[in-house]
Amino acid sequence: MITLHQRAIQCPQILGELAIEAPAIPTTSSPRDSIDSDEVVSDAIRTVGVRASGRRFVELSIAASGLQIHAGWEVWAHMELCKADGERIPIGRTETLANDPSPNFVASFAVLSDSFRTMQQDVVLTVMRRLRRRGLQRQQKELVVGSSQFKLRDLLFSKHGLLDLPLISSTGELSGLVVISAEEFRSREAAPDMVSIHFEVDTPAHLPSTTGYFFVVSRELKSSPGHWNRVYRSSLVVPSGMGATCGSTEPTTVSCGSLFANDEARKMLIEFYRVSHPDDVPELCGSTETSVQALVNCLQQNMDLHMVCDEDGYLARGQLKIQPGTVLSNHRGRRNVIHLRTSGIRWFESDDARKQGRIRDSRVDRDSWGRQRTTDVEVEVGAMRLSKRW
C-alpha cells in the first residue's frame, strides 16, 4: 500500500541523491489505444472552455515530500500551462494544508490530452507556503518553496503514469520532491452520479478534548496498482464537550467517477487520522482497503471493515461499521450514500504503553471481501504482525 507521498519519501535517499530518469518517449505519433477510464472524473478542476463531450482529459494529482514546513505554516500548490509565446495559463490551485511537510493534495486538475500542441507544452508546478493567520493578524506574505517543470507527454508515457520531480527554489537549491500522477478519462455530457460520504467517530474519554480526527479516501490508479490518488478529505471531528464520546464529519458529496472511476471493482483506501494539537502533523492511525463491491457484500451480510493499524501510531485496533442509511446501487441516476462509524477502537494510552505493551488476541472475523479468517495479532514495541489463515 503506497500513497503518493509515501512514494516520494521512498525516492533516493530523501532528496540527497536524487536521480531523475527521463521517461522513454515512443517514436510513433499514433494515438494511444486505450485510456484508464471512459467515465468522467467530474471533481477534477476543468481548465478549458471548449465543448468537452467525448474529449480526452488527463487528471493530474500532486503529492510532495521533504518540504521545510514547520508548525504554524500552510502549504499549497498551483499549476500553469506554458504556451509557445511564453504566456502562462493558470490550470488550478490545490487546497491549503497546515503543518504538513509531506502534503498529499485532494484537489486534482483536468487538462485536455488529445491535443498534440497541449501534449508538447510545458506544465509548471509551484509549491507555496505562508504562516497561518491567527485571530486578527494580517495575512502573511506568500513564499515560494520551489517549482518544477514537465511535459504532459512525459507524464502520460511514463511507465506507471507517475513522475518524481525535484522542487527547485528561487536560489537554485533543492527544496523538496514532488510526485505527479496521471489518469486519463473521456468526458461525457451526462450528469455524474454522486455519492454522499459521512463518517462518525467514537472518541475515548481519556484523550484530551482538543484531539481531532479526520478521514481520507483515495482511489487506486488503474495503470499503477498500489498507488493512490486522494479524492476526499473529511472535515475535522472534535468532541463537542467534556465526556463527549462521538463526533460526526460534515456530509460531503463526491462523484462516482472521482471516487472509484465508475468501476465497482476499483479499490479504495480509507485512512483514519488523529490530530492531537492544531499545530501538530496529523498522525495516521489506521487504514483499510475496500471497493464498492466489497461494501455491498459487507452491507448485505452485516459485516465490519477491519482497520490495519499503523505501526508508528497509537491505535491498537479498530473497525469501521457500516451504518443504517448506507445505500449503494449500480443504477445510474440513483443517489448513493456511504455512512461509516468507527467501532471497537482501542488506543495505547501512552508512548510507554505503545512501546512496551504487548497485546495478544486470537479472533475470527472477516475481511473487507467478506471472507472468514483467523487472525493472530501480536503487538510488541509498536509493531504489529499478522498471520492469516483463510
Side-chain angles (χ1 to χ4, degrees):
M1 183 179 69
I2 304 175
T3 59
L4 286 183
H5 75 275
Q6 287 172 329
R7 174 181 169 83
I9 292 173
Q10 292 172 2
C11 284
Q13 301 298 322
I14 306 293
L15 311 175
E17 301 174 1
L18 186 64
I20 304 297
E21 273 188 30
I25 306 300
T27 55
T28 175
S29 59
S30 61
R32 294 176 300 284
D33 296 328
S34 63
I35 57 179
D36 296 313
S37 173
D38 281 332
E39 301 294 344
V40 177
V41 185
S42 65
D43 297 346
I45 301 172
R46 292 291 169 81
T47 62
V48 292
V50 299
R51 186 173 179 83
S53 179
R55 302 291 298 273
R56 286 181 190 237
F57 286 83
V58 57
E59 179 197 27
L60 305 177
S61 297
I62 306 166
S65 180
L67 307 183
Q68 298 300 311
I69 302 298
H70 306 291
W73 285 91
E74 297 177 327
V75 62
W76 69 96
H78 63 82
M79 277 187 171
E80 298 172 302
L81 194 65
C82 297
K83 299 180 67 175
D85 59 4
E87 180 186 0
R88 291 192 177 187
I89 303 175
I91 294 177
R93 181 189 188 277
T94 68
E95 74 275 17
T96 300
L97 300 179
N99 311 315
D100 196 345
S102 299
N104 194 346
F105 299 103
V106 170
S108 56
F109 311 106
V111 181
L112 277 172
S113 60
D114 59 359
S115 166
F116 180 78
R117 178 179 299 178
T118 303
M119 293 287 287
Q120 298 297 319
Q121 291 177 339
D122 289 325
V123 177
V124 176
L125 169 69
T126 305
V127 178
M128 307 290 295
R129 69 174 179 176
R130 69 182 172 207
L131 281 171
R132 190 194 313 172
R133 182 177 180 178
R134 299 180 183 274
L136 299 178
Q137 289 181 348
R138 297 177 60 182
Q139 188 67 59
Q140 300 296 314
K141 182 180 179 180
E142 299 179 355
L143 303 173
V144 176
V145 177
S147 61
S148 193
Q149 189 167 314
F150 64 95
K151 293 184 184 296
L152 282 178
R153 67 172 188 181
D154 295 346
L155 176 60
L156 290 175
F157 289 127
S158 62
K159 184 176 181 180
H160 298 292
L162 297 164
L163 284 182
D164 304 318
L165 301 171
L167 280 174
I168 305 300
S169 68
S170 57
T171 60
E173 298 178 349
L174 194 63
S175 59
L177 182 72
V178 67
V179 179
I180 313 294
S181 69
E183 186 159 17
E184 279 194 284
F185 60 92
R186 193 183 301 277
S187 177
R188 293 183 178 177
E189 289 186 342
D193 291 331
M194 308 301 290
V195 182
S196 179
I197 305 178
H198 183 204
F199 289 95
E200 293 184 35
V201 182
D202 282 323
T203 56
H206 70 268
L207 291 179
S209 58
T210 56
T211 301
Y213 311 86
F214 66 92
F215 293 86
V216 171
V217 181
S218 304
R219 180 188 76 243
E220 187 176 43
L221 292 174
K222 183 177 181 179
S223 59
S224 185
H227 294 88
W228 310 82
N229 274 359
R230 285 191 173 179
V231 295
Y232 165 86
R233 181 187 286 104
S234 76
S235 57
L236 190 66
V237 177
V238 180
S240 57
M242 294 301 294
T245 58
C246 183
S248 300
T249 66
E250 298 176 1
T252 304
T253 301
V254 182
S255 74
C256 295
S258 180
L259 189 61
F260 54 92
N262 288 296
D263 177 4
E264 295 181 358
R266 181 72 71 94
K267 287 185 180 180
M268 297 183 295
L269 175 68
I270 302 175
E271 296 174 296
F272 178 41
Y273 285 84
R274 185 174 77 173
V275 182
S276 300
H277 187 274
D279 287 337
D280 288 346
V281 176
E283 169 201 334
L284 175 61
C285 301
S287 62
T288 185
E289 293 183 23
T290 186
S291 67
V292 171
Q293 287 180 348
L295 288 175
V296 170
N297 291 339
C298 292
L299 183 62
Q300 292 174 345
Q301 302 181 41
N302 193 29
M303 290 186 240
D304 299 337
L305 298 172
H306 173 73
M307 279 197 289
V308 177
C309 302
D310 187 73
E311 293 182 356
D312 297 324
Y314 284 82
L315 182 66
R317 71 181 63 155
Q319 296 174 321
L320 289 174
K321 182 180 291 294
I322 302 178
Q323 294 296 95
T326 296
V327 178
L328 292 169
S329 172
N330 57 4
H331 298 294
R332 294 193 66 87
R334 183 168 180 177
R335 184 65 170 266
N336 295 295
V337 178
I338 297 178
H339 186 183
L340 302 174
R341 176 173 176 155
T342 58
S343 172
I345 295 293
R346 182 171 177 177
W347 301 89
F348 293 113
E349 297 186 11
S350 67
D351 191 55
D352 288 339
R354 179 177 67 86
K355 292 180 179 179
Q356 301 176 11
R358 185 181 184 91
I359 299 175
R360 183 171 183 84
D361 181 23
S362 187
R363 66 184 184 278
V364 176
D365 61 0
R366 296 177 184 270
D367 72 338
S368 59
W369 295 95
R371 298 174 296 187
Q372 183 171 305
R373 64 185 177 188
T374 299
T375 306
D376 293 327
V377 182
E378 187 173 290
V379 182
E380 184 177 13
V381 195
M384 176 172 285
R385 297 189 294 274
L386 298 178
S387 58
K388 303 176 183 179
R389 296 190 298 277
W390 302 104

